Amino acid sequence: MKALIEFQEVCKYYHMGDTTVVAADHISFQVYQGEFVAIVGQSGSGKSTCMNIIGCLDVPSEGTYLLDGRDVGQMNKNELAEIRNELLGFIFQQYNLLPKLNLLENVEVPLMYAGVPKKERRERAKVALEMVGLADKMKHRPNELSGGQQQRVSIARALVGEPSVILADEPTGALDSRTGREVLGILQELHAAGHTVVLITHDNSIAVQAQRIIRLEDGRVIYDGPADAPEAVVTPRAAGRFGGVPS
Amino acid sequence: MSILESVELAVKNIVSSKTRTFLTMLDIIIGVAAVIVIVGLGNGLEQYVTDSFSGLGTNTLTVTVMSRGSTRTLSVDDMYAIVDENSQYLDLCSPTVTMPGMVKIGSETVSTTSVQGVSEDYLDIAGVTVSSGRRLQYSDMANREKVCVIGAYLDQAYYGGNAVGQTLRVGGQSLTIVGVLAQQDDTLEEGGSDDCLYLPYTTASRIAGDVSSYIVTMREEDYIDESVAALESALYEVFASDDYYTVTSMAEMLETMTSMINILVGVLAGIAAISLVVGGIGIMNIMLVSVTERTREIGIRKSLGAKERYIMEQFVIEAACTSALGGVIGILLGDGLSAVASTVVTRLMEETLTVAPTLSAVALAFGISVGIGILFGYLPAKKAARLNPIDALHYD
C-alpha cells in the first residue's frame, strides 16, 4: 500500500519573544490509503500542530511532510491552497459553515475554488447533502439547523471535492454524546467506503473508534499502533502512577 | 471562480447589511450627485451664454469710440469709409444706438423691450428676416424717418399680429411700425429675442445722442486677428491714441466667457470631488472593519482552498460594487437635482437655463466612484488576503 501521509522527522518551532517553543519534536509516522487514524493527545501535546501541518495550513520548520508523495514543505501559499482544495476535506469542531450562505452554497464552496462549473457544482453539492441526509434542507441557512445537522453539512462539504484525506479536528467536541456518536458513525461509514480518515482528538473514548491510534505527548509520538491494544489509551505517566498495564 | 461569481458574492454581502452599505455609500452618492449637478449647471450656463451671443453671430466685431476733443472724432461716414477701405476683411457695418428709454404702446409702457437704433444692414448682420411689412432702408437713415420694425413678440402681444401701420412711442418720439420680424425663439416671451424694436440710427441719435458704437461683420471668421488689427490701425490714425476706442470680437468674448465658466465649474467640481475622496476613505474604513469581522470566514475559505488572489478579489470587488452602487444612486440623484435646479433657476432668473448633465460627466462620475472603490478597497483586501489561515480559523 502507498503511504498517503508521510511525516519524516517533522519539527515545528514557535518563537515567542526570546523563547522557542518546540511544538513538534521529530515526529515520524505514515498513514496509508484507506486507514482510519486517530491522533490523540492532551492540549499542548502537539496534535494541533500536527493537524495544521497535515492540513497544509502550516509547513514544518524541519523535516519533511509528504502528502500523496508531494513535498509540502517546498510549496508556496498558492500551491498549499490548491493542495488543500484538491486533497483535503476538513471537518472542524465548530463546523465553520459560512453563515450567510445556504447549505447548498456552503457545500459548493470547495468546488467553486476548484473551478468546477456552476451546474456541475450544484449537482455534486446536492448529492453530497443527500449522502448526509439533509437534501430536504438545502435552502436553509446553517443557523436554522442543530449542531449535529451542521456537522453533517460540514462533512458533506469535506466530501464534495472527493479529497484523498478527510481531516476531522475534534468533530464531536461541540456535540452531545448521542449526536457525537452519530457523527462518528458517519466517519466509520466513510472509512468502510474506502476513505482515508484522520481524526484529531483529546478524548480517548472517541479515539478508540478509529482503527489505529497515534498518541502524542510533548511534541513526540509515544504510541503508534492498533486502537484496540490496551496501551493505546494509557499514557506512560498514568501507567507509572497506576502501576503499569496489567499483563 | 469567475469575476461574475465574485460580483454575485459581493452583491449578496452588500445586500445582507443594507444600513451599513447605505451609510458607507452616502459620501459617494453626495459627491457624484454634486459633480453631476455642478457640471450640468456649467453646461447650462455655457449654453445660455453661447445662445445669447450667437444671436449676433460670432463673425461680428464691436467697435466703441469716444470723441477726443473737437477735432479727433469719428463720424458715421468715417466709420463706413474705414470698413470700405478694409473690404478684404470687413463686410457689413451698422452703427448701434442703444436706447435706454421705454416703449409706450397706446397707454401701456413696455419696459422689457430692447430698443436699438441701427442701419439698414443690421438685420442682415443679425440674420433676421421680416415676416410682414418692409425692412429699414437707406432712405430711412438719410431722411431720419420716424419708423421702426418690431419683434414678433410685440406684434403678437400688443397688436394681435397686425402691427404694420400702427404707431408707438419711444423716448417721447412717435414711430410708425413698417415691418414685423420673423420669430426667432421657439416660444414668444417677454424679454426674449423677439421682444425687440429697431429704428433708424439717425432717428435714434436725435433722441439718444451721438453714435458711439458700431457692429461690423467679417468676411472670414478665420481672420479675426487680421480684421481686428485692420480696424484698430485705421482708428489709431483718427485718434492718434489707443485710449479712445475698443474693438471686441464676439468670438473672443464668447471664448473668454466660456473659459471663465469652465474654470469656475472646474473649481466647483473639484470641491465636490473631495467628497468622493472622503467617501473612498469611508469605504476603506468600513472594509477594514469588515475584514476584521469576517476573519473567521476568510480562514474557512482559505482552509477550503481559496488562494490569496480570490480573497483579495472578493474584497476589492465588494468595495468596487459598494462604490459603484453609490455612484449609480448618485447619478440618479444628480439627474433629479438637475431637473429641480433647471426649474428653480429658470423661475428665479426669468431666463431659460437648462441644467443638463452630460453623458461624459455621468460616465466620469461613475468611473471615478468605481475607481475609488478599487483604490480604497485594495488595502483592506490585501490585509484580508494575507491573513494566516490558522489564526483566522481560531479568531473569535
Side-chain angles (χ1 to χ4, degrees), chain A residues 171-184:
Chain A
T172 60
L175 302 173
D176 61 63
S177 55
R178 197 178 59 81
T179 42
R181 274 198 302 278
E182 262 177 45
V183 166
L184 276 178

Side-chain angles (χ1 to χ4, degrees), chain A residues 82 84-85 105 121, chain B residues 5 12 296 302 304 307:
Chain A
E82 253 169 54
R84 284 198 293 272
N85 187 258
E105 288 164 336
R121 232 157 61 191
Chain B
E5 281 177 306
K12 225 176 231 174
R296 206 184 170 86
K302 282 196 157 187
L304 297 178
K307 294 177 187 173

Side-chain angles (χ1 to χ4, degrees), chain A residues 52 57 92 94-99 169, chain B residues 287-303 315 383-384 387-396:
Chain A
N52 288 339
L57 294 165
F92 298 100
Q94 295 299 333
Y95 332 126
N96 281 347
L97 299 174
L98 298 173
D169 182 17
Chain B
M287 290 306 288
L288 281 171
V289 172
S290 168
V291 167
T292 311
E293 272 181 0
R294 285 155 64 187
T295 300
R296 206 184 170 86
E297 178 195 327
I298 294 162
I300 296 168
R301 287 185 181 278
K302 282 196 157 187
S303 74
F315 278 87
K383 191 184 161 197
L387 283 176
N388 180 345
I390 300 168
D391 298 339
L393 269 174
H394 295 116
Y395 186 88
D396 286 317

Side-chain angles (χ1 to χ4, degrees), chain B residues 90-111:
Chain B
L90 306 176
D91 187 14
L92 301 173
C93 173
S94 166
T96 53
V97 181
T98 304
M99 309 273 292
M102 291 171 191
V103 179
K104 252 188 136 178
I105 299 171
S107 57
E108 229 175 313
T109 305
V110 187
S111 57

Side-chain angles (χ1 to χ4, degrees), chain A residues 27-241:
Chain A
I27 294 178
S28 299
F29 62 81
Q30 278 136 17
V31 174
Y32 294 93
Q33 194 133 31
E35 269 194 299
F36 185 3
V37 180
I39 297 178
V40 204
Q42 301 305 315
S43 71
S45 63
K47 67 179 192 309
S48 294
T49 304
C50 267
M51 134 91 197
N52 288 339
I53 293 175
I54 294 172
C56 296
L57 294 165
D58 206 349
V59 289
S61 307
E62 267 176 44
T64 313
Y65 167 36
L66 300 176
L67 176 59
D68 201 19
R70 285 188 256 178
D71 188 351
V72 173
Q74 303 303 314
M75 291 183 180
N76 65 28
K77 285 181 187 172
N78 270 340
E79 288 168 322
L80 286 175
E82 253 169 54
I83 216 157
R84 284 198 293 272
N85 187 258
E86 280 173 32
L87 299 183
L88 294 158
F90 287 90
I91 301 167
F92 298 100
Q93 180 175 3
Q94 295 299 333
Y95 332 126
N96 281 347
L97 299 174
L98 298 173
K100 285 177 185 170
L101 305 183
N102 66 32
L103 302 193
L104 194 61
E105 288 164 336
N106 257 293
V107 176
E108 273 183 47
V109 172
L111 298 178
M112 186 172 79
Y113 291 127
V116 176
K118 197 161 187 169
K119 216 175 148 192
E120 187 191 333
R121 232 157 61 191
R122 200 117 287 194
E123 284 310 309
R124 283 170 66 179
K126 266 185 207 167
V127 171
L129 277 173
E130 272 163 23
M131 226 150 65
V132 296
L134 286 168
D136 55 329
K137 294 200 159 58
M138 274 187 326
K139 299 288 176 186
H140 289 245
R141 295 280 179 90
N143 59 8
E144 297 165 37
L145 269 61
S146 71
Q149 286 172 322
Q150 290 193 48
Q151 196 57 296
R152 271 148 63 193
V153 176
S154 89
I155 292 171
R157 183 178 65 182
L159 286 174
V160 74
E162 292 165 6
S164 307
V165 180
I166 291 170
L167 192 56
D169 182 17
E170 302 276 11
T172 60
L175 302 173
D176 61 63
S177 55
R178 197 178 59 81
T179 42
R181 274 198 302 278
E182 262 177 45
V183 166
L184 276 178
I186 297 176
L187 291 182
Q188 279 168 332
E189 277 169 35
L190 292 175
H191 170 230
H195 286 276
T196 310
V197 181
V198 176
L199 172 70
I200 318 270
T201 183
H202 70 283
D203 188 341
N204 282 326
S205 67
I206 304 290
V208 293
Q209 304 293 317
Q211 182 191 31
R212 173 182 156 202
I213 284 178
I214 297 173
R215 178 173 294 280
L216 297 178
E217 194 176 274
D218 296 331
R220 266 175 286 216
V221 178
I222 56 163
Y223 175 84
D224 184 355
D228 47 9
E231 57 268 42
V233 292
V234 185
T235 64
R237 224 183 278 154
R241 206 182 306 153

Side-chain angles (χ1 to χ4, degrees), chain B residues 32-69:
Chain B
V32 167
V35 167
I36 285 177
V37 171
I38 288 167
V39 173
L41 194 67
N43 280 313
L45 214 55
E46 199 178 316
Q47 191 59 47
Y48 174 73
V49 169
T50 312
D51 282 351
S52 26
F53 273 71
S54 67
L56 280 178
T58 47
N59 68 331
T60 54
L61 303 174
T62 308
V63 180
T64 318
V65 294
M66 283 170 272
S67 343
R68 186 182 189 188

